[in-house]
Structures are given as structure tokens and as C-alpha cells.
Amino acid sequence: MKFFIDTADLDEIRELSATGLLDGVTTNPSLIRKAGGEFFETIAEIAKLVDGPVSAETVATDHETMLKEGLKLAKIADNIAIKVPLTVDGLKTCKALRAQGIMVNVTLCFSASQALLAAKAGASFISPFVGRHDDISQDGMALIEDIRTIYDNYDFETEILVASIRHPLHVVEAARIGADVATIPAAVMKKLFQHPLTDRGLEAFLKDWKETGQSIL
Ligand code: G3P
């Protein structure tokens, strides 16, 4: 499963990119606002920091303007994926951008029917928001299972990009189901590494090693 980081914070991206485990980045208007930088400069810098897809989101709601925005954003770098909302105009724009060979990430997906439409529109990625389902006591991961089944039934090439991740179990469940990508907030990504038994075991190993009085280097 590919790991994308869900942030526009350049320091977070630099820190986690250094692990060699990062396969891409997703941003959205809220994350851009939170990071505080100039949009085009931020996306251009992110696209240099990672080789994989970097999602940059349009902000128009009509197809004609959304397409213009997408074509302009795609010029920033070769690894830009244009994010469009799951609306009629968003899927029209998806089809038009894909026809020009531009990666498209269809976002704000909350149902299997929406995901089916995005695949038919040729989306490169579909972003179902699992956390926002969970936030209203719905089962966000059940949506991922439905989408996986539907996409496998028809060999759709659209990659399932699990978004709105709140904790490590969302990542584990997404991998169990067979999602293609998880886009993970930096804080959650760091939690994936952590286990108290690892810490305790390492501490014991190093204590015992120290008592041997030996060194490796
Ligand atoms: O990529 C979409 C993601 O940023 C949304 O997450 O936490 O706002 O639901 P959240």
C-alpha cells in the first residue's frame, strides 16, 4: 500500500520524506490555509520534495473554470495530481483532464455510488473520507470495502486513496481491505512506528549490551 502524507506543511513533509517511506502528498484548501504559504510556491516546493503524486485542489465549482485551474496547476510539475470535488462539474473536469494525460484525484467522496462514477470518469485516485463518516457514527471503512469490491468487479484502474484518516487502525484496516493508498496526517504516520514493547525491548537489549563492555565500531 502506498503511503501519502496529508499536509501542506513543508517541515512535516521533509521530516517524513527522510524515512524513505513516503510515496506522495495530498493537500486541500484547508491544509494550504493551515500551512500559511503561497499556494503555487508551496505546491512547487512539495513537488520537489517527493517523486510521487502531489495533489493540488481546484477551488472553482463550474467545469469551465475548474478545468482552467487544473490545467494551470498541472504546469507546476510533472507529478501534480489535480484534485476535483465529487460533483457533476468535478467529474466532467476529471474526464477532460484525464484525456490530456493529467493525474486526477477525485475528493470528498462519501458513497460507493460516487466512487463508481469517479471510476467511470477515469479518475486516477478516489478519496473516500473515512474519518468524517466515523465522526457521525457511520462506518467509514465499510465504504472502503464496498469500493474495493466494486472496483475489482470491473477491473477499474482508479486507485482507492483512503483519506480523512484519524488513527493507525484506519491505516491497518485500509491495508487489510486492499486499498491502494492511505493519505496520513504526519502525527498519525509517526504513531505507526510506535509500540511500548519495542521501546522496552530495545532498552533491555542496550542495557545488556552495555554490560558486555564491548563495541561494534
Ligand atoms: O485529504 C482529505 C483530508 O485532509 C480530510 O481530512 O481530517 O479534514 O476529515 P479531515
Side-chain angles (χ1 to χ4, degrees), residues 47-167:
K48 292 174 193 166
L49 290 172
V50 298
D51 296 330
V54 174
S55 288
E57 190 159 343
T58 59
V59 291
T61 52
D62 67 290
H63 166 55
E64 186 182 353
T65 313
M66 209 184 288
L67 181 56
K68 286 176 183 171
E69 290 179 343
L71 292 169
K72 183 176 181 182
L73 290 169
K75 290 190 173 91
I76 295 173
D78 292 342
N79 56 330
I80 300 297
I82 303 303
K83 249 188 182 182
V84 296
L86 213 147
T87 61
V88 174
D89 285 78
L91 294 192
K92 283 180 183 175
T93 306
C94 174
K95 268 187 90 72
L97 290 170
R98 293 293 299 127
Q100 298 194 41
I102 295 169
M103 283 189 287
V104 176
N105 178 358
V106 177
T107 191
L108 288 168
C109 172
F110 293 94
S111 72
S113 59
Q114 286 180 320
L116 178 54
L117 290 169
K120 286 178 66 65
S124 311
F125 303 99
I126 182 67
S127 289
F129 280 29
V130 297
R132 294 192 189 184
H133 266 292
D134 291 4
D135 291 344
I136 59 170
S137 303
Q138 289 187 1
D139 182 354
M141 297 315 295
L143 172 59
I144 305 303
E145 287 184 311
D146 288 347
I147 297 171
R148 181 73 284 160
T149 300
I150 292 166
Y151 282 19
D152 291 349
N153 287 347
Y154 299 96
D155 294 325
F156 283 127
E157 293 184 7
T158 302
E159 293 188 60
I160 302 172
L161 193 164
V162 180
S164 186
I165 282 176
R166 296 277 189 276
H167 48 69

Side-chain angles (χ1 to χ4, degrees), residues 163-180:
S164 186
I165 282 176
R166 296 277 189 276
H167 48 69
L169 280 184
H170 274 154
V171 179
V172 172
E173 276 298 293
R176 184 184 62 78
I177 293 166
D180 303 282

Side-chain angles (χ1 to χ4, degrees), residues 5-13 25-28 31-37 42-43 46:
I5 186 172
D6 194 35
T7 184
D9 183 308
L10 297 176
D11 290 336
E12 288 183 339
I13 297 168
V25 179
T26 54
T27 72
N28 63 42
L31 292 172
I32 292 292
R33 175 178 174 272
K34 182 179 176 185
T42 300
I43 297 298
I46 294 174

